[in-house]
Amino acid sequence: MSARPDVATATTVAETVAAVETVTAESADPCCAAPLPVLGRDVTVPLVTGGEVTYAALDYAASAPALQRVWDDVAAYAPYYGSVHRGAGYLSQLSTDLFENSRVTVAEFLDCRPGDQVVFTRSTTDSLNLLAATLPAGCEVFVFETEHHASLLPWRDARVTYLNAPRTPEQAVATLERALADRDPYGPALVCVTGASNVTGELWPVKELAAAAHAHGARIVLDAAQLAPHHPVSVQELDVDWIAFSGHKLYAPFGSGVLAGRADWLQDSEPYLAGGGASRKVARRADGGVDVEWHTTAARHEAGSPNVIGVYAIASACKALTEAGFDSLVERERHLIARVREGLAEVPEVRVLSLFGDDAPRVGVISFVVEGWNSSHFAAALSAEYGIGVRDGLFCAHPLVRTLLGSDPQDPGECGAPEAAPGERSLNAIRVSFGAGTPDEHVERFVGAVKELVRDGAQWKYRTEDGRCVPDRG
């Protein structure tokens, strides 16, 4: 077996790229049943009651910590950073190769079809806004009210049909089928659906929804922001037309995202951003104007200098998760989910939010409310007194959380802001989320803290400051 190229001795761009890409791969454990090493796993935080504790990061659904493997890969590449597609120098050529190799890695991770394009963006939100800009004339968009705002809001220039929250996967499919069949005029249509809810963690019947969409002449885009970090995602098996996801939820928080899928709508639309990189040829006309020939590849929608570090980080995360093995990652996460749900079920004052019921398959995202507690107060106490980071609010999915809480659409409440004093009812919830880097101790500490807070109350006084519930240090 030939030796792997060494960064220090590589003599060609190809050898250096190979060396950078494998510098940390040799330490990867393909059968890892323990938590994957993540950056910040040893960080300690002060407690308002005194002392310090290792921080329990249980807000993966907002942003997951970087995998140590990703950080190491980025650090190995950083000295070789150069402009992409824009230079004759060695570092520019190396960075270009790394960027385009990352595109191939992501396509393999998603099991894309031949001919699909992988476009690098800033985030899931950016990806879906890009797709919204490519909709053909007269296209109608169908989206459930249960979606994250990234999926709910980008379709401002299209006719949008918002579908009510279903209470079973079967109802979701039936609701979509009726809406698509009844559309008038019966023209182009796009369905946007999440793979896993960012509020309840429940898995959606993506393959069945894709079949329903295609049966009625529509296309479908999958918001995989909460699915891809937890489960394998296959464009071909699910038969979706596009997939969008973010690096910062895939253990690669360096400002990049992905839109992958069919090329035709992307090629037929104007570039998402106009500028260098998207254009193949620009020439002055005799009348003084400018003619532009745009790229037909993914570069068409990647104007400007690309975020090569963010893109490489996503590719590194894709490789790390694949090498770790999703079977073992999923099995371990099921264990953590069961432990959290069992622990919360032992507290009568806790109500877990759910669309599809207790038996629905899910990822490591669980939202709940506690009787007698303002959710922001409870979350603040978990942080200040136990060193546990969760999220409170409406999770950028306002219609869904309001539906699950049974509130009137006009009732006040906003993401992250306590709308009631500590102890009063609040129109927001608490979300705990975890993943491949979560140790058992963090989950056990969380369950114990919930029980203790409900039983004994907070040890500290809290007040509202700038819309947040914080410890009163006065």
Side-chain angles (χ1 to χ4, degrees):
M1 183 167 132
S2 61
R4 292 185 175 184
D6 181 80
V7 173
T9 61
T11 59
T12 68
V13 170
E15 284 182 351
T16 309
V17 170
V20 168
E21 290 183 334
T22 59
V23 72
T24 58
E26 292 177 338
S27 62
D29 181 356
C31 300
C32 182
L36 298 185
V38 294
L39 209 62
R41 58 190 178 278
D42 298 323
V43 167
T44 60
V45 294
L47 300 180
V48 72
T49 51
E52 293 187 340
V53 67
T54 303
Y55 184 64
L58 295 177
D59 194 15
Y60 276 46
S63 278
L67 287 173
Q68 185 68 51
R69 159 75 178 277
V70 171
W71 180 257
D72 292 344
D73 281 352
V74 167
Y77 161 66
Y80 300 88
Y81 172 80
S83 62
V84 171
H85 297 145
R86 287 166 174 79
Y90 184 90
L91 298 190
S92 177
Q93 294 179 54
L94 185 149
S95 295
T96 298
D97 285 352
L98 203 72
F99 185 80
E100 293 303 334
N101 287 349
S102 296
R103 202 187 303 277
V104 174
T105 297
V106 171
E108 292 173 348
F109 180 75
L110 296 175
D111 189 26
C112 288
R113 297 167 292 254
D116 280 349
Q117 289 188 350
V118 173
V119 181
F120 290 117
T121 66
R122 294 176 298 173
S123 61
T124 306
T125 301
D126 196 35
S127 296
L128 293 173
N129 274 271
L130 189 166
L131 187 61
T134 73
L135 298 181
C139 185
E140 184 174 358
V141 177
F142 294 81
V143 57
F144 287 93
E145 67 172 355
T146 49
E147 295 295 318
H148 186 281
H149 294 170
S151 300
L152 200 67
L153 303 180
W155 323 104
R156 290 171 292 179
D157 297 327
R159 188 157 59 102
V160 184
T161 295
Y162 296 102
L163 307 174
N164 292 336
R167 286 298 181 170
T168 66
E170 294 77 16
Q171 187 181 10
V173 176
T175 298
L176 178 62
E177 286 184 326
R178 284 195 301 271
L180 289 173
D182 293 343
R183 71 185 188 273
D184 185 22
Y186 197 88
L190 176 70
V191 177
C192 182
V193 67
T194 186
S197 171
N198 78 302
V199 176
T200 68
E202 292 163 316
L203 299 179
W204 276 63
V206 176
K207 188 172 184 177
E208 291 79 4
L209 290 168
H214 294 152
H216 292 278
R219 292 191 176 186
I220 185 167
V221 56
L222 170 63
D223 173 357
Q226 300 295 341
L227 183 62
H230 302 272
H231 284 259
V233 177
S234 168
V235 169
Q236 298 193 64
E237 181 179 338
L238 295 174
D239 197 21
V240 294
D241 298 286
W242 293 277
I243 283 183
F245 71 87
S246 297
H248 72 97
K249 299 185 194 299
L250 196 79
Y251 311 102
F254 295 90
S256 283
V258 168
L259 176 67
R262 300 196 184 279
D264 53 352
W265 286 12
L266 300 175
Q267 292 173 342
D268 292 342
S269 64
E270 291 294 306
Y272 183 47
L273 297 174
S279 56
R280 292 182 61 185
K281 179 181 177 182
V282 181
R284 292 291 301 275
R285 296 195 304 263
D287 63 4
V290 172
D291 283 327
V292 183
E293 180 183 343
W294 303 105
H295 278 293
T296 58
T297 63
R300 184 184 188 89
H301 298 289
E302 294 176 344
S305 294
N307 178 5
V308 60
I309 285 182
V311 164
Y312 181 47
I314 288 180
S316 173
C318 291
K319 289 182 178 179
L321 293 173
T322 300
E323 290 168 6
F326 269 108
D327 287 347
S328 61
L329 295 176
V330 169
E331 187 58 35
R332 185 172 185 281
E333 187 171 302
R334 283 177 183 153
H335 160 73
L336 296 178
I337 293 169
R339 180 66 190 104
V340 171
R341 289 179 61 82
E342 289 166 3
L344 293 179
E346 293 170 358
V347 184
E349 293 85 353
V350 168
R351 178 167 72 90
V352 174
L353 305 183
S354 176
L355 269 177
F356 299 154
D358 291 342
D359 296 330
R362 64 193 71 233
V363 299
V365 179
I366 298 170
S367 297
F368 63 99
V369 291
V370 183
E371 183 181 344
W373 281 82
N374 172 281
S375 292
S376 293
H377 182 204
F378 199 91
L382 285 173
S383 175
E385 300 179 26
Y386 298 92
I388 298 170
V390 297
R391 182 168 172 183
D392 64 281
L394 301 178
F395 318 127
C396 294
H398 294 193
L400 171 57
V401 179
R402 290 180 182 281
T403 294
L404 295 174
L405 293 178
S407 70
D408 186 277
Q410 302 307 314
D411 285 343
E414 66 179 76
C415 237
E419 297 297 337
E424 296 180 9
R425 179 176 182 267
S426 59
L427 294 176
N428 53 12
I430 306 149
R431 184 181 71 190
V432 56
S433 53
F434 39 87
T438 304
D440 288 40
E441 187 276 327
H442 289 183
V443 164
E444 294 299 334
R445 193 195 319 172
F446 166 77
V447 170
V450 170
K451 292 179 179 179
E452 193 170 282
L453 281 173
V454 172
R455 183 184 68 238
D456 302 332
Q459 300 179 54
W460 206 262
K461 291 185 178 180
Y462 295 80
R463 60 185 174 84
T464 300
E465 179 180 289
D466 296 328
R468 297 293 307 169
C469 192
V470 298
D472 189 346
R473 302 177 188 273

